[in-house]
Each structure stands twice: as structure tokens, then as C-alpha cells.
């Protein structure tokens, strides 16, 4: 038996009643939460973690992340979605070898655990061969987190790769059920009226696995794709619609009526241009929400960012819309408590894992995060715990993380991560990509042209600082 006891924390259970327990202990025995309460007795040999001054919460759940792209962390910081598509889909994504997928996945997986994200959907659309897929799973299985492999391949139509015998063979060989490695099929529906994606949906139905799809992406996927899915009976409660940002009421009604959920990637939607982060639309239509980080080619894989930017985007739009009507918002719709729920229960519900993870309740699997940082002036006072998680806490405040009962981060340090090896593997991938593309193309890809900005004519007179006389001079031309 192994046991971990979090002692004397502010416990956000995220159970159905969102019970908050100050000064409480959380006892983990083997892979389960055994007990939550005040003054629990530690079993012999338990690892005790002093949670005084900290927040104990469920592990967070990211429902859409292209983990293979983490090998290019930050490369696309100034990209639009168009530049992303050109780079990965059209020009350079095909260069990735199985070992490159592996390197990116391992890095992304540890990054998630470091940030308290205990379950991540690896939206793995760079699987050009099943050797790539084996490498992706090898990587995920080498890291003690909970993952869902969402199998995809942007170099082929989904009706092609999903029909290949080696795909079926891969699923039989590597996907065994169990809740440490789940499985989805990941592909997009273009809206082509002949609906070639139908064959891939049939494979998913045959295998009994959910489909996750980038929907409502400006310029790429639209209402036609949703309508085709719906008319053919492929919209299910297990379907996860990623972004769902540029859709009409009709599509949102179809999603709501069939019980699906939306994975909102606010940072992605804001920078890349899939459409305005749709939480306001999802609220109006009663559609369940989970959160995601999309890809570390732009953003880091922590859900503190997702919670913060999602609150900001929703509120920003609400204020803007009111100001256009010459009105003032005096009460906000979206609350910090709601985004913490989306980062935990939203994910467990979307993935069909809500009976096992997503909240701290006796009997559930033990995915537990302690936010505590005695060296940080931002960790006190904790007056509004949900607000603290969403707007104050950051990755460096993740003190300890338990996944399936196992300590994977302890006192701010990852347990068992060989970072020098992970770094060396990623460096080899980067060197290979630079050599394959050529250094000029590599540099150009990272530095897109900036459109010209023309400063407006200004009816007022400019003021300039005159260094010679050390005075402001007026009317300078
Ligand atoms: Zn995506």
C-alpha cells in the first residue's frame, strides 16, 4: 500500500456542490482518494505534505493539445492560423519522424504535469504512419500522467488513414482500455457536400470511440460540417468540438441537442483567428465547456492561462457589446468559479471520465494538485479561492501533484523526469528540422512579415522633446 496525505489545506473539492473545506486533509491510498476531512490519521509510511497556506484541488484536464508540436515551443509566437496551416499542413509537418513525435510528446507531457494538468488529450494529428503513432504512445506511457491519444493524420484524408489495416492493428495492439490512456479519433470535417469523412465516422462508431473535431474555425470548418455530421447521425454526447467559434445558432442548437461539448482554447482563438472565444455563445445555448491550450508552438501548456484568458475574453466582449448599446455591464456573467469547474469537471465530463476524475471525492481516482508557494507574496491572503486559482496562481505555485495516487511533482520538483535527456532529444529534433528546411526557411518561418501600419492624420499639434535645450518644444513639424 502507498499513501499520500495532504495536511491542512484549503480544499476545493469541485464536487457537485462545489464544497470548499478550509483546514482539511486529503488522504490518498493507492490509486484512490480515501478520505477528506479535518485531522485525519496518516497510515504508516504515508508521505505527509503540509498544505498549510495552500489550495488543494483536483488535477486539471486539457481536452485538446497537439503535444508533438511542443518540440517547436514558441516558434510560432507571431503566427496566424494561416501561417500555422502553411507550416504544418502544407510544407513542413511531413518532415516529422517518429522520434520527433516522441521528443515533443515527452516534453509536453512533463510540462502538463508540472503545471498540475494531470489529464491531457494528445490531439495527435501528425501520425503519418503507425510508427509515428507507436512513438506517440511510447512517449505518453513513459510519463506518469493520464492521457488520451486522439489519433489523427493531417497528411491524409481521415477516410484514408482510418481505413488502413495497420490503423486497426495499432488500435488492437496499443489501446487496451483502462483510464491511464484513453483513445479518440481526431479529424476535421471540411463541409464538402459529398461528406468523405463519413467513412471515418463509421470506423469510430465501429470501434466505439469518440471523435474530436476542430469545428467553427474561420476559413476552415463551418456550419456545413456540423450539418453533415448531424444529418448522418454522427453527433453524439461523446463528440468534442474544438473551438466552435464561428458557427450560427443552428449549429450550436445541433451541438446542444445532441449533448456534445466544446473545448475552448481561448489563447488560440484570440491569436490565431478561429473566431472570438465562444463561451458567451455556449452559455446562451447551454453547451458544456472544457478548456484547452491547443499547441505550445504558441502557448505553454498550463490551464492557469486558459482560465485567465477565458475570463478576460468573455468579460471583454460583454463590456464591448454593452458599450455599443451605450449601456454599462454592472454584473458579470462568467465567474472564476465557473472556469475552475471547466478546467476540472468540464474536462472529466467531456472525456466520459467523470465517474473517476475531475473532483476530490472519496472513491475517485487520486489526481490531486497542491498550489502552495511559501516564497511567493502572491499566495496570501487567499480570500476568494476560485479567484485565486484563476487570476493569481501560476505554474510556479504548483507545489505537488499526484496522478493515480503517485507523486509526480513534490515540493516544486518533478519526480523522475530526466530533463537533460528530454532536452537533448528535443534539440536533436530542432537540429534535424533546421537541416531539413535550411536555416533561411527556418528563420523565415518564425518571422512572418508585419503589415504596414499607417498612423492617422492628427488635427492636433505634436509636442517633441528637444534634447539640446532640455525642453518640450511645441509645433515641431
Ligand atoms: Zn487544435
Amino acid at each position: 500500500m502507498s499513501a499520500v496525505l495532504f495536511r491542512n489545506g484549503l480544499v476545493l473539492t469541485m464536487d457537485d456542490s462545489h464544497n470548499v473545506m478550509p483546514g482539511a486533509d486529503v488522504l490518498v491510498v493507492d490509486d484512490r482518494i480515501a478520505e477528506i476531512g479535518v485531522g485525519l490519521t496518516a497510515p504508516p509510511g504515508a508521505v505527509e505534505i503540509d498544505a498549510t497556506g495552500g489550495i488543494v484541488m483536483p488535477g486539471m484536464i486539457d481536452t485538446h493539445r497537439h503535444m508533438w508540436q511542443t518540440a517547436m515551443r514558441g516558434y510560432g509566437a507571431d503566427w496566424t492560423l494561416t501561417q500555422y496551416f502553411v507550416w504544418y499542413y502544407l510544407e513542413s509537418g511531413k518532415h516529422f519522424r517518429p522520434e520527433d513525435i516522441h521528443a515533443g510528446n515527452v516534453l509536453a507531457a512533463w510540462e502538463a504535469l508540472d503545471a498540475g494538468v494531470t489529464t491531457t488529450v494528445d490531439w495527435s494529428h501528425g501520425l503519418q504512419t503507425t510508427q509515428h503513432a507507436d512513438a506517440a504512445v511510447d512517449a505518453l506511457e513513459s510519463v506518469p500522467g493520464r492521457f488520451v491519444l486522439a489519433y489523427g493524420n493531417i497528411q491524409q484524408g481521415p477516410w484514408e488513414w482510418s481505413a488502413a489495416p495497420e490503423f486497426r492493428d495499432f488500435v488492437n495492439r496499443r489501446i487496451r482500455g483502462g483510464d491511464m490512456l484513453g483513445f479518440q479519433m481526431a479529424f476535421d470535417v471540411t463541409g464538402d457536400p459529398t461528406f468523405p469523412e463519413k467513412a471515418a465516422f463509421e470506423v469510430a462508431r465501429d470501434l466505439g470511440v469518440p471523435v474530436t473535431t476542430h469545428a467553427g474555425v474561420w476559413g476552415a470548418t463551418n456550419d456545413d460540417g456540423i450539418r453533415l455530421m448531424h444529418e448522418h447521425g454522427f453527433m453524439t454526447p461523446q463528440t468534442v468540438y474544438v473551438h466552435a467559434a464561428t458557427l450560427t445558432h443552428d449549429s450550436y442548437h445541433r451541438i446542444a441537442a445532441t449533448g456534445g461539448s466544446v473545448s475552448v482554447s481561448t489563447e488560440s482563438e484570440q491569436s490565431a483567428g478561429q473566431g472570438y472565444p465562444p463561451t458567451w455563445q455556449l452559455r446562451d445555448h447551454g453547451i458544456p465547456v472544457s478548456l484547452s491550450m491547443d499547441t505550445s508552438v504558441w502557448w505553454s501548456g498550463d490551464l492557469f492561462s486558459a482560465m485567465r484568458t477565458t475570463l478576460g475574453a468573455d468579460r471583454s466582449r460583454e463590456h464591448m457589446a454593452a458599450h455599443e448599446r451605450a449601456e454599462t455591464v454592472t454584473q458579470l456573467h462568467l465567474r472564476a468559479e465557473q472556469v475552475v469547474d471547466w478546467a476540472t469537471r468540464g474536462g472529466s465530463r467531456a472525456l466520459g471520465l467523470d465517474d473517476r476524475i475531475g473532483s476530490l471525492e472519496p472513491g475517485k481516482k487520486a489526481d490531486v494538485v497542491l498550489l502552495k508557494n511559501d516564497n511567493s507574496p502572491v499566495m496570501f491572503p487567499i480570500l476568494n479561492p476560485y479567484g485565486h486559482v484563476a487570476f493569481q496562481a501560476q505554474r510556479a505555485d504548483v507545489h505537488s501533484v499526484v496522478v493515480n495516487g503517485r507523486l509526480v511533482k513534490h515540493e516544486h520538483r518533478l519526480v523522475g523526469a530526466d530533463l537533460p535527456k528530454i532536452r537533448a532529444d528535443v534539440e536533436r529534433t530542432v537540429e534535424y528540422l533546421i537541416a531539413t528546411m535550411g536555416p533561411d526557411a527556418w528563420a523565415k518561418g518564425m518571422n512572418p512579415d508585419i503589415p504596414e501600419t499607417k498612423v492617422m492624420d492628427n488635427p492636433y499639434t505634436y509636442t517633441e522633446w528637444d534634447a539640446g535645450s532640455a525642453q518640450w518644444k511645441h509645433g515641431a513639424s
Side-chain angles (χ1 to χ4, degrees):
M1 189 193 76
S2 69
V4 180
L5 182 66
F6 291 91
R7 180 74 85 191
N8 191 37
L10 176 58
V11 179
L12 301 187
T13 62
M14 302 315 293
D15 64 7
D16 287 347
S17 59
H18 282 193
N19 194 18
V20 177
M21 303 170 70
D25 306 341
V26 175
L27 174 62
V28 172
V29 176
D30 295 327
D31 60 345
R32 307 246 171 207
I33 294 163
E35 206 177 347
I36 304 173
V38 176
L40 300 182
T41 305
V47 177
E48 275 206 60
I49 298 173
D50 179 10
T52 306
I55 295 172
V56 186
M57 64 180 287
M60 289 171 272
I61 298 170
D62 183 330
T63 53
H64 150 245
R65 189 152 171 245
H66 310 292
M67 293 171 76
W68 61 290
Q69 297 174 347
T70 303
M72 292 175 63
R73 179 189 300 292
Y75 179 91
D78 295 320
W79 278 356
T80 59
L81 194 59
T82 304
Q83 283 148 349
Y84 171 86
F85 282 149
V86 168
W87 206 97
Y88 279 107
Y89 284 59
L90 300 179
E91 291 181 353
S92 305
K94 60 182 178 290
H95 296 320
F96 279 68
R97 306 161 298 176
E99 58 261 51
D100 305 316
I101 302 282
H102 189 277
N105 267 25
V106 170
L107 181 60
W110 279 112
E111 175 184 356
L113 296 184
D114 185 55
V117 178
T118 51
T119 300
T120 306
V121 174
D122 179 17
W123 222 102
S124 193
H125 56 358
L127 305 182
Q128 303 173 64
T129 70
T130 49
Q131 288 76 52
H132 290 73
D134 278 312
V137 170
D138 288 345
L140 299 179
E141 288 182 341
S142 74
V143 179
R146 213 180 282 284
F147 302 102
V148 174
L149 179 72
Y151 192 114
N153 174 10
I154 50 178
Q155 304 300 329
Q156 284 184 355
W159 55 92
E160 296 171 303
W161 59 259
S162 67
E166 57 270 26
F167 168 69
R168 289 283 184 137
D169 174 63
F170 168 83
V171 176
N172 290 334
R173 280 190 294 112
R174 302 303 300 265
I175 308 301
R176 299 186 184 89
D179 49 32
M180 294 309 289
L181 180 68
F183 189 71
Q184 297 177 332
M185 285 172 61
F187 57 88
D188 298 342
V189 182
T190 63
D192 176 343
T194 65
F195 195 35
E197 298 87 1
K198 180 169 182 276
F201 279 107
E202 284 166 346
V203 172
R205 178 185 286 170
D206 189 38
L207 291 170
V209 300
V211 170
T212 176
T213 186
H214 292 111
V217 173
W218 177 261
T221 59
N222 56 36
D223 293 304
D224 290 331
I226 297 289
R227 183 180 48 75
L228 286 164
M229 285 176 67
H230 192 234
E231 286 172 358
H232 287 82
F234 293 124
M235 291 174 72
T236 77
Q238 290 76 41
T239 311
V240 177
Y241 306 85
V242 176
H243 304 306
T246 42
L247 295 171
T248 60
H249 290 300
D250 181 67
S251 288
Y252 291 119
H253 286 318
R254 291 179 199 255
I255 294 171
T258 51
S261 66
V262 169
S263 173
V264 175
S265 297
T266 301
E267 279 195 296
S268 182
E269 288 130 27
Q270 289 181 316
S271 271
Q274 293 90 343
Y276 202 89
T279 45
W280 56 289
Q281 292 269 31
L282 306 175
R283 177 165 59 242
D284 285 350
H285 292 87
I287 296 171
V289 177
S290 63
L291 300 181
S292 61
M293 289 313 303
D294 203 348
T295 167
S296 293
V297 79
W298 276 274
W299 311 281
S300 76
D302 72 272
L303 290 183
F304 298 111
S305 290
M307 290 187 276
R308 186 180 286 209
T309 51
T310 301
L311 279 170
D314 193 283
R315 293 172 174 184
S316 172
R317 192 205 153 273
E318 192 166 27
H319 289 302
M320 288 280 287
H323 298 176
E324 283 166 14
R325 301 189 302 267
E327 292 172 3
T328 302
V329 174
T330 55
Q331 286 161 311
L332 293 165
H333 269 99
L334 187 59
R335 301 304 170 102
E337 181 172 350
Q338 181 68 68
V339 296
V340 176
D341 183 273
W342 286 344
T344 53
R345 297 300 290 282
S348 62
R349 291 192 184 106
L351 301 179
L353 295 170
D354 198 47
D355 59 335
R356 277 158 278 179
I357 58 173
S359 59
L360 301 180
E361 297 178 75
K364 274 199 168 180
K365 292 291 189 130
D367 292 2
V368 188
V369 170
L370 169 61
L371 307 179
K372 166 174 163 147
N373 189 345
D374 290 340
N375 297 314
S376 167
V378 185
M379 280 310 288
F380 60 87
I382 299 175
L383 305 176
N384 174 340
Y386 297 109
H388 213 98
V389 171
F391 272 144
Q392 305 288 332
Q394 297 188 354
R395 170 191 295 276
D397 304 319
V398 176
H399 175 285
S400 293
V401 180
V402 164
V403 182
N404 210 41
R406 174 171 167 185
L407 258 178
V408 300
K409 187 178 185 185
H410 190 201
E411 294 174 347
H412 300 284
R413 295 182 75 88
L414 290 168
V415 179
D418 187 351
L419 289 181
K421 168 150 191 352
I422 296 166
R423 179 197 294 260
D425 289 348
V426 167
E427 281 174 355
R428 262 196 302 280
T429 286
V430 171
E431 283 163 15
Y432 156 77
L433 288 171
I434 294 172
T436 304
M437 295 172 62
D440 292 346
W442 173 265
K444 193 166 183 309
M446 191 160 31
N447 297 289
D449 295 338
I450 304 174
E452 200 180 331
T453 302
K454 185 184 179 307
V455 176
M456 277 188 225
D457 293 335
N458 185 334
Y460 298 102
T461 304
Y462 279 87
T463 301
E464 282 181 21
W465 178 252
D466 181 51
S469 64
Q471 286 182 330
W472 292 106
K473 66 180 177 181
H474 297 279
S477 55

